[in-house]
Amino acid sequence: MNKGPISQFITKHYLHFNSAALVDAAKAYEAQLENGAKMMVTLAGAMSTAEIGKIFAEMIRRDKVQIISCTGANLEEDIMNLVAHSHYERVPNYRDLTPEQEWDLLERGLNRVTDTCIPEHEAFRRLQKHIYKIWKDADDKGERYFPHEFMYKMLLSGVLEEYYEIDLKDSWMYAAAEKNLPIIVPGWEDSTMGNIFASYVIKGDLKASTMKSGIEYMTFLADWYTKNSKSGVGFFQIGGGIAGDFPICVVPMLYQDMEMHDVPFWSYFCQISDSTTSYGSYSGAVPNEKITWGKLDITTPKFIIESDATIVAPLIFAYLLDM
């Protein structure tokens, strides 16, 4: 298929340094899919609040991603944007805010993520009302699900339709729910919905066991990887932290701890990060360090793009979508 104007622009002008790495990574991602490999995309940072869904949802619909790993914040914040978009406030001068102005945002129920404030009442509490009923129903029946499965149930039930404030095609979570795409959410407890669930456990309203755990996520991923890695599984990492570190470890776990010596390494690796190489930093570690941990092979195509993911990821996705 012929590439569109965005793809043509980056291939013509992005010729050196980080821009060249962007093009090389995009072409190698495309080659992975053409050769029958699958791709994991990991989302750290506040990519959902940055409205990555505008293009990432189409990546999901077009089968350019087969499995996702994301933080609990990214899992919920895409849905929050879906139901409360008009209530968000942008603060372009966020660097100049005084502590008193930050406190004023808190008192107005606005939680700031860099230049964007998420409204507590219209976003957090609106989801809480509906997700609690789904949690409670499972709890009463003795059923257990993963965090993303509960979110899928809420989205597909239609209970949020009256609140929709953006085009549904721009929600990556809804696109993922329609495909029942596997999502790994390590450390889900470190999110607003995770905190809320914990509060119900403390109050005795819910059992902790109703929510499947991180260990169960790892065992689920181990099974998925074993079944899907015959032609390769690539690893496209946006940001650093647990969204990337947790799932990439499945390969050395299977090889070293399960002694499954026929398990292939990740077949592709790309990380977009503005974390510079530093002492002891996972986010800033160069890809070759992962060879020593049994995650990547010597021959694995490896790319690192040191830039803002909100700039880089949409351009790579646009290339893959022939835009």
Side-chain angles (χ1 to χ4, degrees):
M1 184 179 293
N2 292 329
K3 293 290 185 184
I6 297 174
S7 302
Q8 293 176 33
F9 179 88
I10 65 174
T11 53
K12 179 178 180 179
H13 296 285
Y14 284 26
L15 303 175
H16 300 281
F17 319 132
N18 274 302
S19 67
L22 182 158
V23 176
D24 292 343
K27 289 180 176 179
Y29 188 134
E30 188 171 61
Q32 286 282 307
L33 297 180
E34 288 174 350
N35 292 331
K38 299 183 186 300
M39 189 65 70
M40 169 180 274
V41 172
T42 78
L43 298 176
M47 296 305 294
S48 288
T49 293
E51 300 185 67
I52 192 67
K54 284 179 173 289
I55 193 165
F56 191 47
E58 187 63 16
M59 287 280 289
I60 293 169
R61 285 190 290 268
R62 298 263 294 273
D63 296 320
K64 304 295 185 181
V65 52
Q66 285 72 44
I67 185 169
I68 295 168
S69 173
C70 72
T71 58
N74 275 299
L75 187 77
E76 65 195 16
E77 287 176 13
D78 178 82
I79 306 174
M80 291 175 186
N81 181 59
L82 173 64
V83 303
H85 181 77
S86 68
H87 299 277
Y88 280 56
E89 286 193 25
R90 186 161 178 264
V91 187
N93 64 325
Y94 67 93
R95 297 178 191 272
D96 303 322
L97 295 178
T98 65
E100 290 75 18
Q101 289 172 315
E102 302 276 25
W103 184 263
D104 180 62
L105 290 174
L106 170 66
E107 290 195 318
R108 291 173 56 208
L110 294 171
N111 302 121
R112 185 170 68 81
V113 180
T114 312
D115 70 348
T116 303
C117 294
I118 303 175
E120 179 178 346
H121 179 72
E122 293 83 3
F124 301 132
R125 302 309 168 190
R126 186 169 284 175
L127 289 194
Q128 178 182 356
K129 179 173 67 173
H130 294 287
I131 197 67
Y132 170 73
K133 293 177 182 177
I134 296 172
W135 289 339
K136 184 62 175 172
D137 182 62
D139 193 90
D140 290 343
K141 293 177 180 177
E143 298 174 350
R144 307 177 65 244
Y145 299 99
F146 283 119
H148 76 279
E149 292 177 316
F150 278 115
M151 293 298 197
Y152 282 179
K153 285 177 179 290
M154 180 171 61
L155 281 169
L156 297 177
S157 72
V159 296
L160 298 179
E161 288 182 8
E162 62 178 298
Y163 309 114
Y164 289 172
E165 294 192 353
I166 65 170
D167 193 324
L168 197 55
K169 70 179 178 60
D170 292 337
S171 166
W172 73 261
M173 271 293 290
Y174 193 84
E178 284 191 309
K179 281 185 172 286
N180 195 27
L181 204 72
I183 304 182
I184 309 300
V185 193
W188 172 77
E189 299 81 1
D190 178 23
S191 67
T192 300
M193 291 301 116
N195 292 171
I196 290 171
F197 184 86
S199 75
Y200 286 122
V201 173
I202 293 168
K203 290 183 288 189
D205 290 343
L206 297 172
K207 296 184 290 292
S209 58
T210 297
M211 191 67 62
K212 288 189 175 182
S213 70
I215 295 296
E216 288 169 290
Y217 260 134
M218 182 58 82
T219 59
F220 170 84
L221 177 58
D223 181 64
W224 185 93
Y225 191 91
T226 302
K227 292 176 178 176
N228 288 274
S229 58
K230 190 171 184 180
S231 297
V233 180
F235 199 92
F236 187 83
Q237 180 175 340
I238 299 176
I242 195 171
D245 198 18
F246 183 96
I248 204 170
C249 290
V250 73
V251 171
M253 184 200 75
L254 289 169
Y255 187 92
Q256 298 168 12
D257 304 318
M258 293 297 295
E259 300 182 353
M260 297 169 62
H261 294 165
D262 58 342
V263 172
F265 294 104
W266 295 95
S267 61
Y268 162 100
F269 178 81
C270 175
Q271 181 179 6
I272 308 169
S273 175
D274 59 4
S275 177
T276 55
T277 302
S278 61
Y279 301 106
S281 163
Y282 174 75
S283 298
V286 296
N288 279 354
E289 184 177 298
K290 293 170 174 57
I291 295 173
T292 73
W293 289 91
K295 300 168 183 175
L296 305 179
D297 199 355
I298 295 171
T299 57
T300 303
K302 307 173 191 70
F303 308 91
I304 186 162
I305 308 165
E306 294 176 303
S307 186
D308 186 332
T310 62
I311 299 171
V312 173
L315 289 173
I316 291 179
F317 293 162
Y319 182 89
L320 295 165
L321 295 168
D322 303 313
M323 292 182 175

